[in-house]
Amino acid sequence: MGIYFNPTNEGFLSDIKSKIYVDKTPLINHLNSVLSTRERYISVSHARRFGKSQAARMIDAYYSRGCNSKELFSGLKISNSPDFEKHLNKYNVIHLDISSIADYYKDNLVSKIIELIYNELKKEYPDIMDINNPFSTILMQVYEKTKSIINGKETKIPFVIIIDEWDCVVRDFSNSPQTVHEYLQFLHSLFKSEESQKFLALGYITGILPIKKIKKESALNNFFEYTMTDSAELTTYFGFTEKEVDELCEKYDMNKESVKEWYDGYLISGKHMYNPNSVYMAMTRHRLESYWRNTSAFDTINTFINLNFDGLKEDVISMLKGEKVSVNTDKFKNDFSIINSKDDALTALIHLGYLGYLDERKTAFIPNYEVATAFHLALETGSWNQIADTISRCNDILWATIDRDADKVAELLELSHETYTSVLKYNDENSLSCAITMAYFTAPAYYTVIRELPSGKGFADIVLIPRADSGNKPAMIIELKWNKDADTAIKQIKEKRYAGKLMGYEKEILLVGVNYDKESKKHECVIECLNPKIMEDNS
């Protein structure tokens, strides 16, 4: 047993002993089904904090001969598989976290990786050939020396090779092509050499970006890829599913609708996925807030959206107000250093987890409120500072509405409208709708926000329905007008019975009428409180 060769199961043991553990062991069934086949090369390219490293530790614990994990897996889903014991702890495993090694050995990365593995191999196989021989030859010699009983038959012991953060060298060493070249040659020896076709049972690599072919390098072109745009049959093994989160909400007494608003939204291969790290933190701390921004480099958002490609700023604002925008992900070169268009920038943000992606319609969107707040932080610098300043006032307008301070609401709406109209070349009605939506940017922290809600005899422009855990906040129905008056908006809410959708609602309902005068650029607001009991009687 070692750190890199045949690691122990201690990492996975720590995972399952944690306060929250969601069983993803059925992934092993898939891996067992592809062992020693042409599908045995698997690349998982997902955003940070989406369970890649935990899955790698689980694979260690299952396959590594450096431990006995039968008891550890008992009670987990994989233990019910008829092939559970067939492959359990019967493979020579090599596990590398490239990012941690690269931090210390930038100048001699590949030679150091080989040295670290070789030293551990030498302890178990003291008569292997000298380290200066080709590394694939050394591994082949180890393979030839081994014997084991798998499925009742004596066989040599193949390797399972796991490389976490494999792409950090390609991402971080772009200014050192020789290092990248040597590294890709090393990967070739592990996954594509003639020897590896015999000694390799499974190649499993994880990263952030999909695989990039560098010039004539082809070390990884035999891998089956699973990404943030398409994870196919592996989707549910990364991130938390709706069912898993619902069960956690029941256990930890958390409001399902609120957790969904904060952390859901990633539509990977048509399946709703939650950010697992954020859900874990929310459950254990029993508090909804943006946890991911404390663990990820959100300045990356600012880097890409400040590239000022034509239409990018408009698309970002559209997504901030809940819309989806078209994106062509096919042109992206899988390289952060080569961003040549708006589509490239948006695609990079998708792979980083800062945008969701709907493959069927080829559209990008901000997946949830947590990520929306992260965009707000990223916008506080550069050419976005006016918009960031406007968003910073959103909590003020929400509370001004709750306090029925109509003059304050009108003042802040005017500021919002002025900010967004300068970016979005929409007509008056749409720009006012955008301004209103962005003005209530923080509302999703407490409310379910519905635009164009069918109600009564028409469609209410914006309805804010407080969730059960939002305190004693009132519901709101907001109607927008331009070149008329705010009283007309209130009258329309009443005449068309927009409040009928809230029949039975026991708390206050605020009717908010807003009007924008095209000539004077002035906004006015009227706020009335509708007593639910009176509404019920009048019905």
Side-chain angles (χ1 to χ4, degrees), residues 197-267:
Q197 305 308 303
K198 298 177 181 179
F199 67 64
L200 186 69
L202 176 68
Y204 184 92
I205 65 175
T206 76
I208 295 174
L209 287 174
I211 294 170
K212 172 183 171 62
K213 183 179 179 180
I214 301 179
K215 294 183 179 179
K216 296 181 180 180
E217 305 283 2
S218 58
L220 302 174
N221 64 1
N222 55 336
F223 273 76
F224 289 78
E225 294 195 72
Y226 301 86
T227 72
M228 290 295 284
T229 59
D230 184 8
S231 280
E233 68 273 19
L234 300 193
T235 299
T236 57
Y237 305 132
F238 302 91
F240 286 171
T241 65
E242 286 187 289
K243 181 181 178 182
E244 289 165 346
V245 173
D246 285 350
E247 290 172 354
L248 289 172
C249 287
E250 290 285 347
K251 181 177 180 180
Y252 290 93
D253 191 27
M254 297 286 283
N255 182 273
K256 294 179 183 179
E257 291 182 355
S258 294
V259 172
K260 182 179 181 66
E261 183 69 37
W262 273 84
Y263 308 119
D264 187 18
Y266 295 96
L267 289 169

Side-chain angles (χ1 to χ4, degrees), residues 24 31 36 50 78 85 116 127 145 153 177 260 263 279 310 312 315 322 347 366 409 428 441 467 478 488 511:
K24 299 291 186 179
L31 301 182
S36 300
F50 258 78
I78 185 61
E85 293 189 48
L116 291 170
D127 57 344
K145 288 177 175 292
K153 297 180 181 179
K260 182 179 181 66
Y263 308 119
V279 171
D310 184 45
L312 181 58
D315 278 358
T347 305
I366 292 178
V409 171
D428 294 288
F441 184 81
R467 293 189 292 271
I478 305 173
T488 300
L511 311 184

